[in-house]
Amino acid sequence: MVNERREAGDDPARTLELLWREPGHGASRRGPRQGLTVDAVVQAAVELADSEGLEALSMRAVARQLGVTPMTLYTYVPGKAELLDLMLDAVYLQMPRGDHRAAAWRTKVTAVANENRELYSRHPWVATMPTARPPLGPGLMTKYEHELAAFDGLGLDDVEMNAALTFLLDFVHSVARATLDTQAAARDSAMSDEQWWAANAPLLAKVFDPDRFPLAARVGSAAGAAHQGMYSPEHAFTFGLQRILDGLTHLMSRPPR
């Protein structure tokens, strides 16, 4: 998607002011509807994106959902770029977070992965957002502080802790994006993966030579039978997460430097 979070005319100072506003505050002194707040605008935008996707999100659509004119909305949020930052930080702040301080480290790291996977399940549009420069709001900082705690005390230095968390989050994000792609393919073709492969199997059999591609034939058949298609988000998540945990175990077992 086009990076609408960083467009000409953005005011970083205004964005940070909105991100770090006091909870429940943010009512505009301008405009006809004094009961409206920045929080209400952000919540309406999140609900719209959850139900219809970011493609349907616009200042006009949010204003219509709130029963105000688009110009009224601009007295609360400067534009769509800032609104996207506020939305992302809001869902970060609202993430359910368990208290795993007494748990084993693998349990804590697994919990972080599952919490982020649940975030993408609740708000699929988050997986389509650019992640290079996330909003520096209380939601992001609360999330970062909570997730770093899963790696604290494992013998990693600060740079390694940050790298390990980033690696884990990038993995969960990649599975979420692949899941969205799988769902989109099923929706666009009106067929599940299993149905699609069954429909194309006769055509593939005419052109595919298993003697020429023996490994592809053997492994592809095994994977297809196991997953009813070439890709299973559930298997990809479980398999990949275990390999990350195994890698951390190896890193933690190195001799002290």
Side-chain angles (χ1 to χ4, degrees), residues 173-195:
H173 179 260
S174 71
V175 174
R177 286 300 301 263
T179 301
L180 288 179
D181 290 343
T182 300
Q183 293 170 345
R187 183 173 59 251
D188 294 343
S189 66
M191 289 188 291
S192 66
D193 267 8
E194 185 177 12
Q195 292 169 330

PDB file of all heavy atoms in Angstrom, residues 173-195:
ATOM      1  N   HIS A 173       4.895 -11.215  11.851  1.00  0.00           N
ATOM      2  CA  HIS A 173       4.345 -10.326  10.824  1.00  0.00           C
ATOM      3  C   HIS A 173       4.331 -11.013   9.458  1.00  0.00           C
ATOM      4  O   HIS A 173       3.352 -10.902   8.703  1.00  0.00           O
ATOM      5  CB  HIS A 173       5.173  -9.042  10.765  1.00  0.00           C
ATOM      6  CG  HIS A 173       4.716  -8.063   9.732  1.00  0.00           C
ATOM      7  ND1 HIS A 173       5.323  -7.939   8.505  1.00  0.00           N
ATOM      8  CD2 HIS A 173       3.698  -7.160   9.743  1.00  0.00           C
ATOM      9  CE1 HIS A 173       4.706  -7.002   7.796  1.00  0.00           C
ATOM     10  NE2 HIS A 173       3.725  -6.516   8.525  1.00  0.00           N
ATOM     11  N   SER A 174       5.401 -11.730   9.128  1.00  0.00           N
ATOM     12  CA  SER A 174       5.465 -12.399   7.828  1.00  0.00           C
ATOM     13  C   SER A 174       4.396 -13.475   7.699  1.00  0.00           C
ATOM     14  O   SER A 174       3.788 -13.637   6.627  1.00  0.00           O
ATOM     15  CB  SER A 174       6.860 -12.997   7.606  1.00  0.00           C
ATOM     16  OG  SER A 174       7.091 -14.109   8.449  1.00  0.00           O
ATOM     17  N   VAL A 175       4.145 -14.208   8.774  1.00  0.00           N
ATOM     18  CA  VAL A 175       3.086 -15.226   8.745  1.00  0.00           C
ATOM     19  C   VAL A 175       1.721 -14.559   8.592  1.00  0.00           C
ATOM     20  O   VAL A 175       0.854 -15.037   7.857  1.00  0.00           O
ATOM     21  CB  VAL A 175       3.122 -16.102  10.012  1.00  0.00           C
ATOM     22  CG1 VAL A 175       1.931 -17.054  10.038  1.00  0.00           C
ATOM     23  CG2 VAL A 175       4.421 -16.904  10.068  1.00  0.00           C
ATOM     24  N   ALA A 176       1.539 -13.412   9.265  1.00  0.00           N
ATOM     25  CA  ALA A 176       0.270 -12.692   9.157  1.00  0.00           C
ATOM     26  C   ALA A 176       0.043 -12.208   7.724  1.00  0.00           C
ATOM     27  O   ALA A 176      -1.071 -12.304   7.195  1.00  0.00           O
ATOM     28  CB  ALA A 176       0.246 -11.518  10.127  1.00  0.00           C
ATOM     29  N   ARG A 177       1.092 -11.681   7.082  1.00  0.00           N
ATOM     30  CA  ARG A 177       0.954 -11.226   5.697  1.00  0.00           C
ATOM     31  C   ARG A 177       0.651 -12.401   4.765  1.00  0.00           C
ATOM     32  O   ARG A 177      -0.186 -12.285   3.860  1.00  0.00           O
ATOM     33  CB  ARG A 177       2.241 -10.530   5.250  1.00  0.00           C
ATOM     34  CG  ARG A 177       2.453  -9.145   5.829  1.00  0.00           C
ATOM     35  CD  ARG A 177       1.336  -8.177   5.452  1.00  0.00           C
ATOM     36  NE  ARG A 177       1.179  -8.017   4.029  1.00  0.00           N
ATOM     37  CZ  ARG A 177       1.713  -7.029   3.333  1.00  0.00           C
ATOM     38  NH1 ARG A 177       2.449  -6.109   3.940  1.00  0.00           N
ATOM     39  NH2 ARG A 177       1.511  -6.935   2.034  1.00  0.00           N
ATOM     40  N   ALA A 178       1.346 -13.520   4.974  1.00  0.00           N
ATOM     41  CA  ALA A 178       1.092 -14.698   4.140  1.00  0.00           C
ATOM     42  C   ALA A 178      -0.331 -15.211   4.347  1.00  0.00           C
ATOM     43  O   ALA A 178      -0.986 -15.670   3.399  1.00  0.00           O
ATOM     44  CB  ALA A 178       2.100 -15.796   4.463  1.00  0.00           C
ATOM     45  N   THR A 179      -0.832 -15.129   5.565  1.00  0.00           N
ATOM     46  CA  THR A 179      -2.203 -15.542   5.855  1.00  0.00           C
ATOM     47  C   THR A 179      -3.194 -14.665   5.107  1.00  0.00           C
ATOM     48  O   THR A 179      -4.176 -15.160   4.526  1.00  0.00           O
ATOM     49  CB  THR A 179      -2.481 -15.472   7.364  1.00  0.00           C
ATOM     50  OG1 THR A 179      -1.555 -16.331   8.050  1.00  0.00           O
ATOM     51  CG2 THR A 179      -3.899 -15.913   7.679  1.00  0.00           C
ATOM     52  N   LEU A 180      -2.952 -13.353   5.102  1.00  0.00           N
ATOM     53  CA  LEU A 180      -3.820 -12.436   4.363  1.00  0.00           C
ATOM     54  C   LEU A 180      -3.798 -12.759   2.871  1.00  0.00           C
ATOM     55  O   LEU A 180      -4.837 -12.718   2.204  1.00  0.00           O
ATOM     56  CB  LEU A 180      -3.382 -10.991   4.596  1.00  0.00           C
ATOM     57  CG  LEU A 180      -3.651 -10.391   5.971  1.00  0.00           C
ATOM     58  CD1 LEU A 180      -3.132  -8.959   6.026  1.00  0.00           C
ATOM     59  CD2 LEU A 180      -5.135 -10.430   6.305  1.00  0.00           C
ATOM     60  N   ASP A 181      -2.610 -13.065   2.338  1.00  0.00           N
ATOM     61  CA  ASP A 181      -2.497 -13.406   0.919  1.00  0.00           C
ATOM     62  C   ASP A 181      -3.281 -14.681   0.603  1.00  0.00           C
ATOM     63  O   ASP A 181      -3.949 -14.778  -0.434  1.00  0.00           O
ATOM     64  CB  ASP A 181      -1.035 -13.596   0.533  1.00  0.00           C
ATOM     65  CG  ASP A 181      -0.249 -12.289   0.547  1.00  0.00           C
ATOM     66  OD1 ASP A 181      -0.880 -11.213   0.545  1.00  0.00           O
ATOM     67  OD2 ASP A 181       1.004 -12.345   0.581  1.00  0.00           O
ATOM     68  N   THR A 182      -3.186 -15.665   1.512  1.00  0.00           N
ATOM     69  CA  THR A 182      -3.923 -16.919   1.310  1.00  0.00           C
ATOM     70  C   THR A 182      -5.423 -16.673   1.335  1.00  0.00           C
ATOM     71  O   THR A 182      -6.177 -17.211   0.505  1.00  0.00           O
ATOM     72  CB  THR A 182      -3.536 -17.933   2.407  1.00  0.00           C
ATOM     73  OG1 THR A 182      -2.130 -18.197   2.345  1.00  0.00           O
ATOM     74  CG2 THR A 182      -4.294 -19.240   2.236  1.00  0.00           C
ATOM     75  N   GLN A 183      -5.878 -15.858   2.272  1.00  0.00           N
ATOM     76  CA  GLN A 183      -7.303 -15.537   2.368  1.00  0.00           C
ATOM     77  C   GLN A 183      -7.775 -14.762   1.145  1.00  0.00           C
ATOM     78  O   GLN A 183      -8.876 -14.998   0.640  1.00  0.00           O
ATOM     79  CB  GLN A 183      -7.564 -14.746   3.647  1.00  0.00           C
ATOM     80  CG  GLN A 183      -7.347 -15.548   4.918  1.00  0.00           C
ATOM     81  CD  GLN A 183      -7.372 -14.685   6.171  1.00  0.00           C
ATOM     82  OE1 GLN A 183      -7.271 -13.453   6.100  1.00  0.00           O
ATOM     83  NE2 GLN A 183      -7.479 -15.310   7.332  1.00  0.00           N
ATOM     84  N   ALA A 184      -6.946 -13.830   0.665  1.00  0.00           N
ATOM     85  CA  ALA A 184      -7.314 -13.047  -0.512  1.00  0.00           C
ATOM     86  C   ALA A 184      -7.419 -13.938  -1.750  1.00  0.00           C
ATOM     87  O   ALA A 184      -8.327 -13.776  -2.576  1.00  0.00           O
ATOM     88  CB  ALA A 184      -6.294 -11.942  -0.743  1.00  0.00           C
ATOM     89  N   ALA A 185      -6.478 -14.893  -1.885  1.00  0.00           N
ATOM     90  CA  ALA A 185      -6.515 -15.805  -3.031  1.00  0.00           C
ATOM     91  C   ALA A 185      -7.774 -16.658  -3.005  1.00  0.00           C
ATOM     92  O   ALA A 185      -8.426 -16.878  -4.041  1.00  0.00           O
ATOM     93  CB  ALA A 185      -5.271 -16.688  -3.029  1.00  0.00           C
ATOM     94  N   ALA A 186      -8.140 -17.146  -1.808  1.00  0.00           N
ATOM     95  CA  ALA A 186      -9.353 -17.956  -1.677  1.00  0.00           C
ATOM     96  C   ALA A 186     -10.592 -17.125  -1.989  1.00  0.00           C
ATOM     97  O   ALA A 186     -11.534 -17.592  -2.647  1.00  0.00           O
ATOM     98  CB  ALA A 186      -9.443 -18.537  -0.268  1.00  0.00           C
ATOM     99  N   ARG A 187     -10.585 -15.876  -1.529  1.00  0.00           N
ATOM    100  CA  ARG A 187     -11.736 -14.994  -1.762  1.00  0.00           C
ATOM    101  C   ARG A 187     -11.863 -14.635  -3.251  1.00  0.00           C
ATOM    102  O   ARG A 187     -12.953 -14.683  -3.817  1.00  0.00           O
ATOM    103  CB  ARG A 187     -11.574 -13.731  -0.920  1.00  0.00           C
ATOM    104  CG  ARG A 187     -12.742 -12.762  -1.017  1.00  0.00           C
ATOM    105  CD  ARG A 187     -12.584 -11.635  -0.021  1.00  0.00           C
ATOM    106  NE  ARG A 187     -11.346 -10.878  -0.233  1.00  0.00           N
ATOM    107  CZ  ARG A 187     -10.298 -10.910   0.573  1.00  0.00           C
ATOM    108  NH1 ARG A 187     -10.304 -11.668   1.649  1.00  0.00           N
ATOM    109  NH2 ARG A 187      -9.215 -10.185   0.316  1.00  0.00           N
ATOM    110  N   ASP A 188     -10.734 -14.313  -3.879  1.00  0.00           N
ATOM    111  CA  ASP A 188     -10.775 -13.887  -5.279  1.00  0.00           C
ATOM    112  C   ASP A 188     -11.122 -15.027  -6.217  1.00  0.00           C
ATOM    113  O   ASP A 188     -11.760 -14.820  -7.255  1.00  0.00           O
ATOM    114  CB  ASP A 188      -9.418 -13.278  -5.673  1.00  0.00           C
ATOM    115  CG  ASP A 188      -9.126 -11.978  -4.937  1.00  0.00           C
ATOM    116  OD1 ASP A 188     -10.079 -11.381  -4.385  1.00  0.00           O
ATOM    117  OD2 ASP A 188      -7.948 -11.567  -4.901  1.00  0.00           O
ATOM    118  N   SER A 189     -10.673 -16.236  -5.869  1.00  0.00           N
ATOM    119  CA  SER A 189     -10.935 -17.391  -6.742  1.00  0.00           C
ATOM    120  C   SER A 189     -12.192 -18.149  -6.357  1.00  0.00           C
ATOM    121  O   SER A 189     -12.624 -19.040  -7.093  1.00  0.00           O
ATOM    122  CB  SER A 189      -9.739 -18.349  -6.705  1.00  0.00           C
ATOM    123  OG  SER A 189      -9.605 -18.927  -5.406  1.00  0.00           O
ATOM    124  N   ALA A 190     -12.754 -17.798  -5.191  1.00  0.00           N
ATOM    125  CA  ALA A 190     -13.924 -18.513  -4.662  1.00  0.00           C
ATOM    126  C   ALA A 190     -13.622 -19.995  -4.449  1.00  0.00           C
ATOM    127  O   ALA A 190     -14.519 -20.844  -4.510  1.00  0.00           O
ATOM    128  CB  ALA A 190     -15.135 -18.351  -5.589  1.00  0.00           C
ATOM    129  N   MET A 191     -12.339 -20.306  -4.174  1.00  0.00           N
ATOM    130  CA  MET A 191     -11.936 -21.685  -3.924  1.00  0.00           C
ATOM    131  C   MET A 191     -10.929 -21.711  -2.794  1.00  0.00           C
ATOM    132  O   MET A 191     -10.072 -20.827  -2.702  1.00  0.00           O
ATOM    133  CB  MET A 191     -11.305 -22.315  -5.172  1.00  0.00           C
ATOM    134  CG  MET A 191     -12.261 -22.607  -6.306  1.00  0.00           C
ATOM    135  SD  MET A 191     -11.447 -23.567  -7.628  1.00  0.00           S
ATOM    136  CE  MET A 191     -10.307 -22.340  -8.276  1.00  0.00           C
ATOM    137  N   SER A 192     -10.995 -22.740  -1.966  1.00  0.00           N
ATOM    138  CA  SER A 192      -9.955 -22.957  -0.971  1.00  0.00           C
ATOM    139  C   SER A 192      -8.699 -23.459  -1.674  1.00  0.00           C
ATOM    140  O   SER A 192      -8.736 -23.823  -2.856  1.00  0.00           O
ATOM    141  CB  SER A 192     -10.408 -23.992   0.062  1.00  0.00           C
ATOM    142  OG  SER A 192     -10.549 -25.272  -0.556  1.00  0.00           O
ATOM    143  N   ASP A 193      -7.564 -23.490  -0.945  1.00  0.00           N
ATOM    144  CA  ASP A 193      -6.337 -24.030  -1.528  1.00  0.00           C
ATOM    145  C   ASP A 193      -6.538 -25.464  -2.005  1.00  0.00           C
ATOM    146  O   ASP A 193      -6.079 -25.853  -3.086  1.00  0.00           O
ATOM    147  CB  ASP A 193      -5.207 -23.984  -0.484  1.00  0.00           C
ATOM    148  CG  ASP A 193      -4.395 -22.705  -0.582  1.00  0.00           C
ATOM    149  OD1 ASP A 193      -4.796 -21.811  -1.352  1.00  0.00           O
ATOM    150  OD2 ASP A 193      -3.374 -22.593   0.125  1.00  0.00           O
ATOM    151  N   GLU A 194      -7.221 -26.253  -1.184  1.00  0.00           N
ATOM    152  CA  GLU A 194      -7.442 -27.657  -1.545  1.00  0.00           C
ATOM    153  C   GLU A 194      -8.249 -27.755  -2.839  1.00  0.00           C
ATOM    154  O   GLU A 194      -7.927 -28.555  -3.730  1.00  0.00           O
ATOM    155  CB  GLU A 194      -8.167 -28.365  -0.399  1.00  0.00           C
ATOM    156  CG  GLU A 194      -8.345 -29.861  -0.630  1.00  0.00           C
ATOM    157  CD  GLU A 194      -9.004 -30.555   0.553  1.00  0.00           C
ATOM    158  OE1 GLU A 194      -9.518 -29.845   1.436  1.00  0.00           O
ATOM    159  OE2 GLU A 194      -8.995 -31.802   0.581  1.00  0.00           O
ATOM    160  N   GLN A 195      -9.279 -26.936  -2.959  1.00  0.00           N
ATOM    161  CA  GLN A 195     -10.098 -26.945  -4.169  1.00  0.00           C
ATOM    162  C   GLN A 195      -9.315 -26.462  -5.384  1.00  0.00           C
ATOM    163  O   GLN A 195      -9.451 -27.003  -6.489  1.00  0.00           O
ATOM    164  CB  GLN A 195     -11.336 -26.077  -3.950  1.00  0.00           C
ATOM    165  CG  GLN A 195     -12.319 -26.629  -2.938  1.00  0.00           C
ATOM    166  CD  GLN A 195     -13.389 -25.613  -2.555  1.00  0.00           C
ATOM    167  OE1 GLN A 195     -13.151 -24.406  -2.561  1.00  0.00           O
ATOM    168  NE2 GLN A 195     -14.561 -26.115  -2.203  1.00  0.00           N
TER     169      GLN A 195
END
